[in-house]
Amino acid sequence: MGIADRWGLRAWLSAPGSLSKRLAATGRRYEVQVLRQTVAPLRLQERAALGLPPRGLTVVREVLLRVDGVPLVWARSAVHGDSLKGPWKAVNGLGSRPLGHLLYDDPRIHRSELRPRRVTRHGATWLQMAAQWREATGEDPPAMMQWSRNSVFTRHGKQLRVMELFVPDVALRDPGPIRRKTRARR
């Protein structure tokens, strides 16, 4: 991950907890811009991560995460349609609320290890992101926007995959210490 280190992205690619909270701590206004939420085919990495059969509906949500109006992260989440009737049904009603609110407020949800990955500029993920970025911002995405992290969240045996692709300039933002919400013991 040498290039990611040079840009200072390692801390962002490996940070535990909610990316939404971490980003929000770097500015005054945090927002989620929904670019697309639809039924779509899974990509090879998604299918492998979710261990899904070759058929079935998959719901994909793609968003831009902005701080003070500046887009910093393009994210894609994917969940098998069967899971939307069960443990992941709240994904359908998220709208522009952060997915992190759903993922980190439920102690029954478990997250896999974070997997950093360099996205190629000619691959389907980068091309999809670039088209949506241009439509949402009127500009090309940063050429060096190639580092992502992937993880899978599991609840009641059903999985949701999240991939987050970072603008290199996010490394210039320091969220400071992130305060974690403590849960009351019963």
mmCIF file of all heavy atoms in Angstrom, residues 112-145:
data_model
loop_
_atom_site.group_PDB
_atom_site.id
_atom_site.type_symbol
_atom_site.label_atom_id
_atom_site.label_comp_id
_atom_site.label_asym_id
_atom_site.label_seq_id
_atom_site.Cartn_x
_atom_site.Cartn_y
_atom_site.Cartn_z
ATOM 1 N N SER A 112 -16.810 -7.507 8.993
ATOM 2 C CA SER A 112 -15.596 -8.237 8.640
ATOM 3 C C SER A 112 -14.397 -7.299 8.767
ATOM 4 O O SER A 112 -14.547 -6.093 8.955
ATOM 5 C CB SER A 112 -15.695 -8.758 7.205
ATOM 6 O OG SER A 112 -15.587 -7.675 6.279
ATOM 7 N N GLU A 113 -13.245 -7.850 8.587
ATOM 8 C CA GLU A 113 -12.035 -7.031 8.554
ATOM 9 C C GLU A 113 -12.095 -6.128 7.315
ATOM 10 O O GLU A 113 -12.678 -6.482 6.294
ATOM 11 C CB GLU A 113 -10.843 -7.991 8.523
ATOM 12 C CG GLU A 113 -9.778 -7.708 7.589
ATOM 13 C CD GLU A 113 -8.688 -8.790 7.567
ATOM 14 O OE1 GLU A 113 -8.770 -9.777 8.303
ATOM 15 O OE2 GLU A 113 -7.758 -8.610 6.784
ATOM 16 N N LEU A 114 -11.528 -4.932 7.442
ATOM 17 C CA LEU A 114 -11.458 -3.997 6.310
ATOM 18 C C LEU A 114 -10.406 -4.480 5.321
ATOM 19 O O LEU A 114 -9.317 -4.884 5.727
ATOM 20 C CB LEU A 114 -11.092 -2.598 6.795
ATOM 21 C CG LEU A 114 -12.187 -1.858 7.547
ATOM 22 C CD1 LEU A 114 -11.601 -0.666 8.288
ATOM 23 C CD2 LEU A 114 -13.274 -1.413 6.606
ATOM 24 N N ARG A 115 -10.742 -4.422 4.051
ATOM 25 C CA ARG A 115 -9.813 -4.862 3.011
ATOM 26 C C ARG A 115 -9.534 -3.704 2.054
ATOM 27 O O ARG A 115 -10.370 -3.392 1.213
ATOM 28 C CB ARG A 115 -10.412 -6.035 2.256
ATOM 29 C CG ARG A 115 -10.522 -7.276 3.115
ATOM 30 C CD ARG A 115 -11.072 -8.450 2.333
ATOM 31 N NE ARG A 115 -11.097 -9.624 3.165
ATOM 32 C CZ ARG A 115 -12.104 -9.945 3.964
ATOM 33 N NH1 ARG A 115 -13.153 -9.178 4.039
ATOM 34 N NH2 ARG A 115 -12.050 -11.034 4.705
ATOM 35 N N PRO A 116 -8.358 -3.069 2.180
ATOM 36 C CA PRO A 116 -7.997 -2.024 1.229
ATOM 37 C C PRO A 116 -7.771 -2.634 -0.150
ATOM 38 O O PRO A 116 -7.314 -3.775 -0.267
ATOM 39 C CB PRO A 116 -6.699 -1.449 1.777
ATOM 40 C CG PRO A 116 -6.588 -1.948 3.166
ATOM 41 C CD PRO A 116 -7.363 -3.214 3.231
ATOM 42 N N ARG A 117 -8.097 -1.872 -1.176
ATOM 43 C CA ARG A 117 -7.943 -2.370 -2.544
ATOM 44 C C ARG A 117 -7.754 -1.181 -3.479
ATOM 45 O O ARG A 117 -8.435 -0.180 -3.349
ATOM 46 C CB ARG A 117 -9.184 -3.157 -2.944
ATOM 47 C CG ARG A 117 -9.146 -3.720 -4.335
ATOM 48 C CD ARG A 117 -10.366 -4.610 -4.591
ATOM 49 N NE ARG A 117 -10.531 -4.758 -6.014
ATOM 50 C CZ ARG A 117 -11.436 -4.131 -6.743
ATOM 51 N NH1 ARG A 117 -12.293 -3.313 -6.172
ATOM 52 N NH2 ARG A 117 -11.507 -4.309 -8.029
ATOM 53 N N ARG A 118 -6.856 -1.346 -4.396
ATOM 54 C CA ARG A 118 -6.661 -0.319 -5.425
ATOM 55 C C ARG A 118 -7.596 -0.634 -6.592
ATOM 56 O O ARG A 118 -7.611 -1.738 -7.114
ATOM 57 C CB ARG A 118 -5.214 -0.303 -5.900
ATOM 58 C CG ARG A 118 -4.936 0.865 -6.794
ATOM 59 C CD ARG A 118 -3.475 0.984 -7.080
ATOM 60 N NE ARG A 118 -3.273 2.142 -7.935
ATOM 61 C CZ ARG A 118 -2.124 2.476 -8.437
ATOM 62 N NH1 ARG A 118 -1.067 1.754 -8.174
ATOM 63 N NH2 ARG A 118 -2.020 3.538 -9.202
ATOM 64 N N VAL A 119 -8.381 0.336 -6.997
ATOM 65 C CA VAL A 119 -9.341 0.188 -8.085
ATOM 66 C C VAL A 119 -8.678 0.637 -9.374
ATOM 67 O O VAL A 119 -8.074 1.707 -9.420
ATOM 68 C CB VAL A 119 -10.606 1.037 -7.796
ATOM 69 C CG1 VAL A 119 -11.587 0.975 -8.944
ATOM 70 C CG2 VAL A 119 -11.260 0.590 -6.495
ATOM 71 N N THR A 120 -8.786 -0.153 -10.414
ATOM 72 C CA THR A 120 -8.160 0.233 -11.677
ATOM 73 C C THR A 120 -9.032 1.249 -12.415
ATOM 74 O O THR A 120 -10.257 1.158 -12.372
ATOM 75 C CB THR A 120 -7.871 -0.978 -12.605
ATOM 76 O OG1 THR A 120 -8.761 -0.974 -13.680
ATOM 77 C CG2 THR A 120 -7.953 -2.263 -11.899
ATOM 78 N N ARG A 121 -8.398 2.159 -13.091
ATOM 79 C CA ARG A 121 -9.122 3.239 -13.774
ATOM 80 C C ARG A 121 -9.899 2.769 -14.990
ATOM 81 O O ARG A 121 -10.676 3.520 -15.548
ATOM 82 C CB ARG A 121 -8.145 4.347 -14.184
ATOM 83 C CG ARG A 121 -7.615 5.064 -12.951
ATOM 84 C CD ARG A 121 -6.990 6.352 -13.268
ATOM 85 N NE ARG A 121 -7.935 7.195 -13.973
ATOM 86 C CZ ARG A 121 -7.604 8.255 -14.675
ATOM 87 N NH1 ARG A 121 -6.363 8.610 -14.765
ATOM 88 N NH2 ARG A 121 -8.509 8.975 -15.280
ATOM 89 N N HIS A 122 -9.708 1.532 -15.396
ATOM 90 C CA HIS A 122 -10.428 1.017 -16.562
ATOM 91 C C HIS A 122 -11.441 -0.048 -16.167
ATOM 92 O O HIS A 122 -12.074 -0.636 -17.040
ATOM 93 C CB HIS A 122 -9.441 0.471 -17.597
ATOM 94 C CG HIS A 122 -8.439 1.502 -18.024
ATOM 95 N ND1 HIS A 122 -8.786 2.586 -18.795
ATOM 96 C CD2 HIS A 122 -7.123 1.637 -17.747
ATOM 97 C CE1 HIS A 122 -7.715 3.339 -18.990
ATOM 98 N NE2 HIS A 122 -6.700 2.788 -18.367
ATOM 99 N N GLY A 123 -11.587 -0.288 -14.875
ATOM 100 C CA GLY A 123 -12.521 -1.304 -14.405
ATOM 101 C C GLY A 123 -13.935 -0.758 -14.278
ATOM 102 O O GLY A 123 -14.163 0.459 -14.287
ATOM 103 N N ALA A 124 -14.886 -1.666 -14.128
ATOM 104 C CA ALA A 124 -16.305 -1.290 -14.055
ATOM 105 C C ALA A 124 -16.599 -0.360 -12.877
ATOM 106 O O ALA A 124 -17.379 0.585 -13.010
ATOM 107 C CB ALA A 124 -17.161 -2.551 -13.957
ATOM 108 N N THR A 125 -15.977 -0.601 -11.730
ATOM 109 C CA THR A 125 -16.246 0.232 -10.549
ATOM 110 C C THR A 125 -15.816 1.673 -10.792
ATOM 111 O O THR A 125 -16.567 2.616 -10.545
ATOM 112 C CB THR A 125 -15.538 -0.334 -9.306
ATOM 113 O OG1 THR A 125 -16.053 -1.651 -9.051
ATOM 114 C CG2 THR A 125 -15.758 0.534 -8.087
ATOM 115 N N TRP A 126 -14.585 1.863 -11.273
ATOM 116 C CA TRP A 126 -14.085 3.225 -11.483
ATOM 117 C C TRP A 126 -14.892 3.940 -12.563
ATOM 118 O O TRP A 126 -15.239 5.110 -12.421
ATOM 119 C CB TRP A 126 -12.600 3.221 -11.837
ATOM 120 C CG TRP A 126 -11.945 4.526 -11.495
ATOM 121 C CD1 TRP A 126 -11.345 4.845 -10.315
ATOM 122 C CD2 TRP A 126 -11.864 5.708 -12.305
ATOM 123 N NE1 TRP A 126 -10.881 6.141 -10.348
ATOM 124 C CE2 TRP A 126 -11.186 6.703 -11.559
ATOM 125 C CE3 TRP A 126 -12.292 6.026 -13.579
ATOM 126 C CZ2 TRP A 126 -10.920 7.973 -12.042
ATOM 127 C CZ3 TRP A 126 -12.036 7.309 -14.075
ATOM 128 C CH2 TRP A 126 -11.352 8.250 -13.304
ATOM 129 N N LEU A 127 -15.216 3.237 -13.640
ATOM 130 C CA LEU A 127 -15.980 3.856 -14.721
ATOM 131 C C LEU A 127 -17.382 4.256 -14.255
ATOM 132 O O LEU A 127 -17.878 5.336 -14.599
ATOM 133 C CB LEU A 127 -16.051 2.926 -15.931
ATOM 134 C CG LEU A 127 -14.700 2.663 -16.613
ATOM 135 C CD1 LEU A 127 -14.846 1.590 -17.689
ATOM 136 C CD2 LEU A 127 -14.110 3.941 -17.181
ATOM 137 N N GLN A 128 -18.021 3.408 -13.437
ATOM 138 C CA GLN A 128 -19.340 3.733 -12.883
ATOM 139 C C GLN A 128 -19.240 4.960 -11.978
ATOM 140 O O GLN A 128 -20.032 5.886 -12.066
ATOM 141 C CB GLN A 128 -19.893 2.535 -12.096
ATOM 142 C CG GLN A 128 -21.179 2.813 -11.349
ATOM 143 C CD GLN A 128 -22.376 2.898 -12.274
ATOM 144 O OE1 GLN A 128 -22.349 2.365 -13.373
ATOM 145 N NE2 GLN A 128 -23.414 3.561 -11.835
ATOM 146 N N MET A 129 -18.231 4.957 -11.097
ATOM 147 C CA MET A 129 -18.033 6.092 -10.197
ATOM 148 C C MET A 129 -17.788 7.370 -10.992
ATOM 149 O O MET A 129 -18.376 8.416 -10.718
ATOM 150 C CB MET A 129 -16.850 5.811 -9.260
ATOM 151 C CG MET A 129 -16.482 6.955 -8.328
ATOM 152 S SD MET A 129 -15.464 8.300 -9.007
ATOM 153 C CE MET A 129 -13.973 7.455 -9.477
ATOM 154 N N ALA A 130 -16.925 7.299 -12.003
ATOM 155 C CA ALA A 130 -16.563 8.492 -12.773
ATOM 156 C C ALA A 130 -17.776 9.096 -13.481
ATOM 157 O O ALA A 130 -17.956 10.327 -13.483
ATOM 158 C CB ALA A 130 -15.468 8.162 -13.778
ATOM 159 N N ALA A 131 -18.618 8.252 -14.060
ATOM 160 C CA ALA A 131 -19.823 8.758 -14.737
ATOM 161 C C ALA A 131 -20.757 9.435 -13.742
ATOM 162 O O ALA A 131 -21.283 10.527 -14.006
ATOM 163 C CB ALA A 131 -20.542 7.611 -15.451
ATOM 164 N N GLN A 132 -20.957 8.813 -12.585
ATOM 165 C CA GLN A 132 -21.836 9.411 -11.574
ATOM 166 C C GLN A 132 -21.216 10.682 -10.993
ATOM 167 O O GLN A 132 -21.929 11.645 -10.707
ATOM 168 C CB GLN A 132 -22.115 8.403 -10.455
ATOM 169 C CG GLN A 132 -23.003 7.272 -10.909
ATOM 170 C CD GLN A 132 -23.252 6.284 -9.796
ATOM 171 O OE1 GLN A 132 -22.539 6.227 -8.795
ATOM 172 N NE2 GLN A 132 -24.295 5.478 -9.956
ATOM 173 N N TRP A 133 -19.907 10.681 -10.793
ATOM 174 C CA TRP A 133 -19.196 11.852 -10.257
ATOM 175 C C TRP A 133 -19.398 13.045 -11.179
ATOM 176 O O TRP A 133 -19.731 14.137 -10.734
ATOM 177 C CB TRP A 133 -17.718 11.518 -10.120
ATOM 178 C CG TRP A 133 -16.905 12.557 -9.417
ATOM 179 C CD1 TRP A 133 -16.429 13.730 -9.924
ATOM 180 C CD2 TRP A 133 -16.485 12.509 -8.056
ATOM 181 N NE1 TRP A 133 -15.723 14.419 -8.978
ATOM 182 C CE2 TRP A 133 -15.735 13.687 -7.820
ATOM 183 C CE3 TRP A 133 -16.637 11.594 -7.031
ATOM 184 C CZ2 TRP A 133 -15.158 13.961 -6.591
ATOM 185 C CZ3 TRP A 133 -16.062 11.864 -5.810
ATOM 186 C CH2 TRP A 133 -15.340 13.042 -5.595
ATOM 187 N N ARG A 134 -19.198 12.832 -12.490
ATOM 188 C CA ARG A 134 -19.360 13.923 -13.465
ATOM 189 C C ARG A 134 -20.797 14.443 -13.451
ATOM 190 O O ARG A 134 -21.025 15.647 -13.497
ATOM 191 C CB ARG A 134 -18.973 13.446 -14.862
ATOM 192 C CG ARG A 134 -17.474 13.407 -15.095
ATOM 193 C CD ARG A 134 -17.106 13.172 -16.544
ATOM 194 N NE ARG A 134 -17.269 11.798 -16.984
ATOM 195 C CZ ARG A 134 -16.407 10.820 -16.745
ATOM 196 N NH1 ARG A 134 -15.314 11.072 -16.056
ATOM 197 N NH2 ARG A 134 -16.633 9.613 -17.206
ATOM 198 N N GLU A 135 -21.751 13.547 -13.384
ATOM 199 C CA GLU A 135 -23.152 13.962 -13.377
ATOM 200 C C GLU A 135 -23.498 14.744 -12.105
ATOM 201 O O GLU A 135 -24.228 15.727 -12.148
ATOM 202 C CB GLU A 135 -24.068 12.736 -13.489
ATOM 203 C CG GLU A 135 -25.523 13.110 -13.670
ATOM 204 C CD GLU A 135 -26.389 11.884 -13.911
ATOM 205 O OE1 GLU A 135 -25.968 10.977 -14.646
ATOM 206 O OE2 GLU A 135 -27.502 11.853 -13.344
ATOM 207 N N ALA A 136 -22.954 14.330 -10.972
ATOM 208 C CA ALA A 136 -23.278 14.968 -9.690
ATOM 209 C C ALA A 136 -22.524 16.265 -9.445
ATOM 210 O O ALA A 136 -23.028 17.168 -8.786
ATOM 211 C CB ALA A 136 -23.000 14.000 -8.539
ATOM 212 N N THR A 137 -21.298 16.368 -9.989
ATOM 213 C CA THR A 137 -20.459 17.529 -9.666
ATOM 214 C C THR A 137 -20.172 18.429 -10.866
ATOM 215 O O THR A 137 -19.708 19.556 -10.679
ATOM 216 C CB THR A 137 -19.096 17.079 -9.089
ATOM 217 O OG1 THR A 137 -18.350 16.432 -10.134
ATOM 218 C CG2 THR A 137 -19.262 16.164 -7.893
ATOM 219 N N GLY A 138 -20.349 17.905 -12.076
ATOM 220 C CA GLY A 138 -20.002 18.659 -13.273
ATOM 221 C C GLY A 138 -18.512 18.650 -13.561
ATOM 222 O O GLY A 138 -18.041 19.367 -14.446
ATOM 223 N N GLU A 139 -17.750 17.841 -12.828
ATOM 224 C CA GLU A 139 -16.294 17.760 -13.003
ATOM 225 C C GLU A 139 -15.861 16.307 -13.071
ATOM 226 O O GLU A 139 -16.579 15.418 -12.616
ATOM 227 C CB GLU A 139 -15.581 18.429 -11.819
ATOM 228 C CG GLU A 139 -15.910 19.890 -11.656
ATOM 229 C CD GLU A 139 -15.272 20.481 -10.396
ATOM 230 O OE1 GLU A 139 -14.572 19.754 -9.667
ATOM 231 O OE2 GLU A 139 -15.489 21.673 -10.163
ATOM 232 N N ASP A 140 -14.667 16.081 -13.598
ATOM 233 C CA ASP A 140 -14.092 14.741 -13.579
ATOM 234 C C ASP A 140 -13.644 14.411 -12.161
ATOM 235 O O ASP A 140 -13.217 15.314 -11.421
ATOM 236 C CB ASP A 140 -12.879 14.652 -14.508
ATOM 237 C CG ASP A 140 -13.272 14.651 -15.970
ATOM 238 O OD1 ASP A 140 -14.407 14.226 -16.296
ATOM 239 O OD2 ASP A 140 -12.440 15.072 -16.802
ATOM 240 N N PRO A 141 -13.681 13.134 -11.773
ATOM 241 C CA PRO A 141 -13.149 12.765 -10.457
ATOM 242 C C PRO A 141 -11.631 12.911 -10.461
ATOM 243 O O PRO A 141 -11.008 12.893 -11.532
ATOM 244 C CB PRO A 141 -13.555 11.299 -10.305
ATOM 245 C CG PRO A 141 -13.725 10.802 -11.696
ATOM 246 C CD PRO A 141 -14.179 11.977 -12.509
ATOM 247 N N PRO A 142 -11.018 13.068 -9.299
ATOM 248 C CA PRO A 142 -9.560 13.143 -9.253
ATOM 249 C C PRO A 142 -8.946 11.897 -9.895
ATOM 250 O O PRO A 142 -9.375 10.770 -9.620
ATOM 251 C CB PRO A 142 -9.246 13.194 -7.754
ATOM 252 C CG PRO A 142 -10.496 13.709 -7.121
ATOM 253 C CD PRO A 142 -11.620 13.195 -7.963
ATOM 254 N N ALA A 143 -7.954 12.094 -10.736
ATOM 255 C CA ALA A 143 -7.333 10.977 -11.461
ATOM 256 C C ALA A 143 -6.747 9.932 -10.516
ATOM 257 O O ALA A 143 -6.737 8.754 -10.824
ATOM 258 C CB ALA A 143 -6.251 11.512 -12.396
ATOM 259 N N MET A 144 -6.249 10.358 -9.392
ATOM 260 C CA MET A 144 -5.614 9.423 -8.457
ATOM 261 C C MET A 144 -6.598 8.867 -7.417
ATOM 262 O O MET A 144 -6.191 8.288 -6.423
ATOM 263 C CB MET A 144 -4.425 10.089 -7.767
ATOM 264 C CG MET A 144 -3.328 10.509 -8.753
ATOM 265 S SD MET A 144 -2.818 9.222 -9.922
ATOM 266 C CE MET A 144 -1.987 8.107 -8.846
ATOM 267 N N MET A 145 -7.875 9.004 -7.664
ATOM 268 C CA MET A 145 -8.898 8.452 -6.766
ATOM 269 C C MET A 145 -9.018 6.960 -7.072
ATOM 270 O O MET A 145 -9.843 6.538 -7.873
ATOM 271 C CB MET A 145 -10.233 9.162 -7.002
ATOM 272 C CG MET A 145 -11.314 8.771 -6.040
ATOM 273 S SD MET A 145 -12.775 9.791 -6.356
ATOM 274 C CE MET A 145 -13.924 9.039 -5.228
#
